Every structure is written in C-alpha cells, then in structure tokens.
Amino acid sequence: MQNPSLVSRYTFGTKTADFHVCTQCGVVPVVTSRIDGDLYAVVNVNTFENVDAALLRRSSATLDDETGAERLGRRKRNWIGHVVLKHHGS
C-alpha cells in the first residue's frame, strides 16, 4: 500500500486479530495476530489481481466453536509467521 493512512484496523470481540481495512474500498487484504510475541498474518487472496485460480486452494470452515487457544494454535500453524509491518517511508 502506498499510503498507510488509508488503512484502518478493526478488532472483533475476541481481540485476537487486527483486520486491516482499506478506508477507500472497505476491502480487508490482510489480518494480523500477535502470538507469543511474534506477529502472524494471513492475506486475502480474493484481493489479488491476475492470479490463476488453479494456483489457489480453497476450503470452507466454521471457526465459531474454537476456543481462544485453538484459534491461536491454528494461526500459528497456518498463517505466515514472523511478519514485520513496514510503514511507507520506513
């Protein structure tokens, strides 16, 4: 993103993840979660342009019944680990 001031963060009730929302279009391209001192992230591939759908693996899931520990464990296993967010100009 060229202008980080156009990104707002939203946190749902569990307060275990930050949803990074584009203030211009409302899209959430990335979600981050701090677990055991490390920042993890997952990207929304639906926001990518010109990506061959055959390269993507889709799955459905219902996550409402997860405990907090289960949720964080799943993120540690499946999300991108040791993420560093850089702001424009840094």
Side-chain angles (χ1 to χ4, degrees), residues 2-34:
Q2 293 297 318
N3 189 348
S5 69
L6 296 177
V7 177
S8 68
R9 291 185 184 191
Y10 181 80
T11 304
F12 286 96
T14 62
K15 299 187 184 336
T16 59
D18 289 326
F19 291 73
H20 301 256
V21 184
C22 174
T23 60
Q24 289 186 316
C25 67
V27 168
V28 178
V30 67
V31 180
T32 58
S33 181
R34 186 152 306 273

Side-chain angles (χ1 to χ4, degrees), residues 63-79:
L63 307 173
D64 295 338
D65 294 333
E66 283 184 321
T67 66
E70 290 170 333
R71 184 169 302 215
L72 295 177
R74 175 181 47 80
R75 290 177 184 161
K76 281 181 84 168
R77 286 187 309 278
N78 300 324
W79 287 22

Side-chain angles (χ1 to χ4, degrees), residues 43-57:
V43 295
N44 179 355
V45 297
N46 295 316
T47 64
F48 295 175
E49 294 180 358
N50 303 317
V51 174
D52 182 355
L55 297 173
L56 304 176
R57 183 181 65 191

